[in-house]
Amino acid sequence: MGAYLLDWLALFFRWFHVIAGIAWIGASFYFVWLDLSLRKPPQWKTDKGISGDLWAVHGGGFYEIAKYKLEPEEMPKTLHWFKWEAYTTWLTGMAMLSIVYYANATAYLIDPSKVAFGSSIGAISTSLLFLFGSYFIYEVIVRSHLGKNAFVFSSLIFILLIIATWGSYQLFSDRASFIHIGAILGTVMAGNVFFGIMPAQRALVDCVRRGEKPGKEVADLALQAKNRSLMNNYFTLPLIFTMISNHYPMMYAHAHGWLVLVFVGIITAVVRHYFNQKHLGNTQTKFLWIPALLTVLLIIWMRPAPIEPLPAASVSVAAAPAVTDGTPPTANANNETASDATAINETDKADSDENVTAAAVPVTASADDAIMDVVHTRCSTCHAAQPTQQGFAAPPAGIIIQTPEDIKIHKAKIITAVQSGYMPLGNLTQLTDEERQQIVAYASGL
């Protein structure tokens, strides 16, 4: 019942998170485009303090947009603030992180092969420290003299993000690693609005209301807000990628997933730079073909190894010692007998303490039996009509895998999920690399 309610909470907050994210990103893109598209106004507007204007047509009407260099002639009665889009996106995002990754940390947050956290509380505490510790470092830098130089500031933050990306892969499951970097980006962006952009805007509005000219303090706040806004602008596309990355395990489950994320971050930031320059009337196509080339190289580098289907033939598997009449079997002409084992006659065992040793009887089973033994142990705890794994009220994606026929039905999905490392989630059931290869090879041969 608990897992069922968590699923509904996740659905609810994901829906509002998407809506808020669209509103925030849309407003961000619009105002960046607007600032870069403003043109020099006529003299009569300049005399009124207008630094740029723009005419637009949309929805059957004309719009006249003007931006004042500092303050308008008088404070308007109604002033719209753009802040709740950012706050709502961050709040719903943290709710999603708590519901999906904290409430079921053993399935989604923890990867025992990386760090064997003693408890879910330890993993959650590490996650929160990693997230807010990263933001604290960012805030220290942006408030220092380094934050006043856009190039130095941006370069330093880029280097620290690479370190954070690598660090997240050492601590958490592959899937959670991408989400943590996205959470850092989202926290920085929301923090930029709350601690930088909004205070600068309030200071400016207060000066206008008092009829005072903005002084150096307000100007310093405005410069810091500008750098924070610039950082938000370049973070936008990488953030969107991390938000949808959970649907593409080939990205985060790659052997060098952290490096994949770094390259995607570079590619998307360069694309954002192209549009920023384009809005300024400075179209530089190199900022399009360079990320396009990098994307092609990334695809080539990430290509999976070819799958060798497993022949539909019987395979030998380990079995319990069989009861025989004490006569050891002979090896066949091809030296294909099973390894020696002890065969004990039940009567002799009861009446004598002697050790009776004999060669084991070779035991064979079909490939179906061998693979299904692995599947039942590693996969069916979640992918069953009634999952036995804690935290799962229903099989993930509605996929049930309990028979060879089930594997055949979901063949394509199984190959992708198992080969990429997406399943089991967080490798919860400790599927080994050898077992992973066996499942992929078996499914490919169906």
Side-chain angles (χ1 to χ4, degrees):
M1 187 65 178
Y4 176 73
L5 292 177
L6 284 177
D7 284 344
W8 271 103
L9 284 173
L11 175 63
F12 175 81
F13 281 106
R14 184 184 297 276
W15 178 251
F16 280 97
H17 182 61
V18 170
I19 293 174
I22 291 173
W24 185 16
I25 293 170
S28 174
F29 279 6
Y30 172 71
F31 277 101
V32 168
W33 170 82
L34 184 60
D35 273 334
L36 298 177
S37 300
L38 292 172
R39 297 295 180 259
K40 185 178 179 180
Q43 188 60 43
W44 68 271
K45 286 188 176 181
T46 302
D47 294 340
K48 294 178 62 175
I50 295 175
S51 62
D53 68 352
L54 173 73
W55 283 87
V57 60
H58 182 75
F62 289 94
Y63 293 80
E64 181 185 9
I65 303 165
K67 179 180 180 180
Y68 284 79
K69 186 175 182 179
L70 287 176
E71 72 279 355
E73 297 166 300
E74 62 179 68
M75 180 60 64
K77 294 181 180 180
T78 301
L79 188 63
H80 294 281
W81 297 77
F82 290 83
K83 58 181 179 178
W84 288 110
E85 298 90 343
Y87 301 160
T88 306
T89 301
W90 186 83
L91 290 170
T92 52
M94 285 302 298
M96 284 292 298
L97 183 67
S98 301
I99 293 169
V100 176
Y101 290 91
Y102 293 168
N104 202 2
T106 55
Y108 295 99
L109 180 63
I110 301 172
D111 184 345
S113 65
K114 294 182 179 180
V115 177
F117 289 102
S119 66
S120 295
I121 294 177
I124 294 169
S125 300
T126 302
S127 170
L128 292 171
L129 180 62
F130 182 79
L131 174 58
F132 290 105
S134 299
Y135 177 73
F136 176 78
I137 294 173
Y138 170 83
E139 197 64 33
V140 169
I141 295 173
V142 77
R143 291 175 181 269
S144 70
H145 68 280
L146 295 174
K148 296 179 180 179
N149 187 307
F151 177 77
V152 174
F153 174 59
S154 301
S155 300
L156 183 58
I157 296 302
F158 173 70
I159 293 172
L160 291 176
L161 277 174
I162 293 178
I163 296 173
T165 303
W166 176 84
S168 69
Y169 259 78
Q170 314 312 308
L171 295 171
F172 311 113
S173 70
D174 295 343
R175 170 173 168 163
S177 299
F178 268 45
I179 289 299
H180 274 76
I181 298 303
I184 289 175
L185 296 179
T187 300
V188 166
M189 292 173 70
N192 281 336
V193 174
F194 187 82
F195 293 109
I197 297 172
M198 291 307 299
Q201 291 179 351
R202 290 192 188 99
L204 178 60
V205 169
D206 288 342
C207 285
V208 174
R209 283 176 175 165
R210 293 194 303 265
E212 300 176 357
K213 287 289 183 182
K216 184 179 182 302
E217 183 180 350
V218 176
D220 288 342
L221 285 174
L223 176 61
Q224 188 183 114
K226 180 181 178 182
N227 286 341
R228 287 177 182 266
S229 181
L230 180 67
M231 189 60 61
N232 279 9
N233 176 252
Y234 282 97
F235 278 178
T236 303
L237 294 183
L239 176 63
I240 293 175
F241 172 79
T242 59
M243 288 173 65
I244 65 173
S245 65
N246 275 195
H247 300 287
Y248 301 95
M250 66 177 181
M251 305 299 289
Y252 62 76
H254 189 272
H256 303 286
W258 73 272
L259 197 54
V260 171
L261 183 54
V262 169
F263 273 104
V264 171
I266 294 172
I267 290 169
T268 51
V270 173
V271 170
R272 182 69 253 175
H273 184 68
Y274 165 79
F275 285 104
N276 288 342
Q277 293 298 309
K278 184 176 183 296
H279 296 326
L280 287 172
N282 184 20
T283 302
Q284 299 186 46
T285 56
K286 65 180 180 181
F287 293 123
L288 274 186
W289 66 256
I290 288 177
L293 177 61
L294 290 176
T295 301
V296 172
L297 294 176
L298 184 63
I299 292 172
I300 295 173
W301 175 56
M302 290 179 59
R303 69 190 187 280
I307 300 174
E308 296 295 336
L310 189 67
S314 61
V315 294
S316 297
V317 295
V323 177
T324 72
D325 61 359
T327 305
T330 58
N332 62 22
N334 294 323
N335 263 343
E336 293 179 347
T337 55
S339 61
D340 291 343
T342 303
I344 302 176
N345 183 280
E346 289 185 357
T347 304
D348 292 338
K349 180 179 179 182
D351 298 335
S352 174
D353 290 331
E354 288 184 310
N355 293 327
V356 181
T357 305
V361 176
V363 179
T364 61
S366 69
D368 287 350
D369 295 334
I371 292 298
M372 291 314 300
D373 183 55
V374 174
V375 169
H376 289 153
T377 304
R378 311 296 190 191
C379 310
S380 298
T381 54
C382 298
H383 288 282
Q386 294 182 336
T388 57
Q389 179 62 48
Q390 183 179 2
F392 291 85
I399 297 175
I400 297 176
I401 308 174
Q402 293 181 294
T403 67
E405 185 61 28
D406 292 336
I407 296 179
K408 186 174 182 178
I409 292 173
H410 303 292
K411 169 183 172 180
K413 293 180 180 178
I414 290 173
I415 292 174
T416 300
V418 175
Q419 186 182 44
S420 67
Y422 175 55
M423 288 291 175
L425 290 171
N427 204 14
L428 185 64
T429 57
Q430 297 295 289
L431 182 68
T432 67
D433 290 340
E434 182 181 359
E435 291 170 337
R436 196 177 295 278
Q437 293 170 4
Q438 289 173 354
I439 293 175
V440 170
Y442 174 80
S444 300
L446 293 176

